[in-house]
Amino acid sequence: MSAETRAPHFVRSFERGLAVIRAFDAEHPTRTLSEVARACELTRAAARRFLLTLADLGYVHTDGRRFRLTPRVLELGYSYLSSYTLPQIAEPHLEQLVAQVRESSSLCVLDGDDIVYVARVPTRRIMTASITVGTRFPAYVTSVGRVILAHLPEQDAELRFAKAELKPLTGRTITSPDALRTELGRVRRQGYAVVDQELEEGLRSVAVPVRDRDGEVVAAANIAVHAGRTSVDSVRRDLLPHLLATVARIEADLRITNPAPAASPGTGTHRSSSSRRSPAPEP
């Protein structure tokens, strides 16, 4: 959010404090004061105040030189997950799906321009992509992201396209807004998305939308496979039917459990403008 678009209530110091927490990740589990300051574009004095405040609150530990997050930061995400019924409903069905197809499956929601994994059942097969609950990827380059983007209201979708930065993550990544619009139209019509090695070489995935009891697309479920083992045709022919059946069971449970509103974080609920239909594989 730029300074020009911030509302009068916006608390800049709170934004900076969250930025300090986000400065730590899998590639940077520990950082020095100077590294945090550079990553967050803060002065050393400001970064020090934020880090020491987080340390006083128990979210950061320091040995005097390097800083790292503590397990207490998990409380921030747990508050969301514990109040969000959909992952709890979906996980047993994903476990059953994984037992059937012996491939990893996940449930994701849209958060800003990213998708966030809120439930995941992996297989023991090792893939380069390290994915856990809370992992984020750009929505435009994932099957789950495209399924959700394809069902956004048109005005919302166009606003996203206007500011989108479509970076090539592999040589196959769609980076043209017009080409992505065309692909999302195809996804909306057919009812599912297949992404072939656009996020990572060797990784294919298929995803379908998950709708709440009102018919709104609130999430997406996928199956991810290694390209060397499973062709695109096999993904559509052999895996897609199992995924559709699993999502149908998840949606049936959503209808009878009367869950709390299952809005995607940071987006609000939205009603799909497309009619519900059974997808047919592309020719």
Side-chain angles (χ1 to χ4, degrees):
M1 182 180 293
S2 65
E4 293 77 10
T5 59
R6 291 192 180 104
H9 62 258
F10 193 89
V11 181
R12 183 69 185 279
S13 60
F14 186 64
E15 177 193 31
R16 290 170 172 168
L18 292 175
V20 168
I21 293 176
R22 291 197 299 269
F24 299 90
D25 55 26
E27 295 181 359
H28 306 92
T30 69
R31 284 185 183 270
T32 65
L33 171 61
S34 296
E35 289 169 345
V36 171
R38 284 196 299 270
C40 301
E41 299 182 350
L42 297 171
T43 65
R44 281 176 53 88
R48 182 176 181 275
R49 288 197 300 272
F50 285 118
L51 285 167
L52 293 181
T53 298
L54 289 168
D56 289 345
L57 294 173
Y59 293 110
V60 166
H61 173 77
T62 180
D63 61 6
R65 180 176 180 273
R66 302 195 70 84
F67 296 82
R68 62 175 174 81
L69 299 181
T70 71
R72 189 168 189 178
V73 298
L74 295 174
E75 294 176 355
L76 303 177
Y78 181 75
S79 298
Y80 165 70
L81 289 174
S82 63
S83 64
Y84 192 56
T85 309
L86 180 53
Q88 298 169 351
I89 291 174
E91 190 162 347
H93 296 290
L94 298 182
E95 290 174 350
Q96 182 180 358
L97 173 64
V98 170
Q100 289 175 330
V101 302
R102 300 191 178 187
E103 301 287 358
S104 298
S105 181
S106 305
L107 182 79
C108 302
V109 297
L110 186 66
D111 182 20
D113 295 327
D114 297 335
I115 54 95
V116 181
Y117 285 71
V118 295
R120 177 164 171 79
V121 180
T123 62
R124 293 185 179 180
R125 290 169 173 160
I126 298 175
M127 304 185 75
T128 303
S130 177
I131 301 172
T132 60
V133 169
T135 294
R136 308 172 71 94
F137 289 119
Y140 73 91
V141 78
T142 63
S143 59
V144 283
R146 288 183 185 173
V147 161
I148 300 174
L149 292 174
H151 292 85
L152 288 177
E154 183 176 353
Q155 183 177 7
D156 189 356
E158 285 304 315
L159 286 174
R160 291 172 182 272
F161 277 121
K163 64 175 184 177
E165 293 184 47
L166 307 182
K167 300 179 180 179
L169 302 186
T170 74
R172 300 170 181 258
T173 305
I174 293 177
T175 57
S176 161
D178 288 339
L180 185 58
R181 282 191 186 91
T182 299
E183 178 61 20
L184 294 181
R186 177 172 25 245
V187 169
R188 186 165 52 250
R189 292 190 300 273
Q190 69 190 13
Y192 68 92
V194 173
V195 169
D196 182 15
Q197 304 180 79
E198 295 188 47
L199 174 65
E200 178 185 318
E201 292 288 350
L203 181 63
R204 288 184 176 131
S205 65
V206 58
V208 299
V210 177
R211 293 174 169 84
D212 65 10
R213 63 187 304 159
D214 297 321
E216 298 177 2
V217 174
V218 293
N222 80 344
I223 296 174
V225 301
H226 195 285
R229 293 193 311 266
T230 311
S231 68
V232 172
D233 287 342
S234 179
V235 167
R236 291 194 179 102
R237 181 185 65 247
D238 302 326
L239 299 181
L240 178 58
H242 289 289
L243 182 59
L244 288 167
T246 296
V247 168
R249 290 191 290 270
I250 293 172
E251 292 176 341
D253 282 357
L254 285 173
R255 288 193 293 271
I256 65 176
T257 54
N258 191 28
S264 300
T267 62
T269 55
H270 55 266
R271 183 172 299 280
S272 169
S273 59
S274 60
S275 60
R276 189 67 181 271
R277 65 191 71 177
S278 297
E282 290 180 302

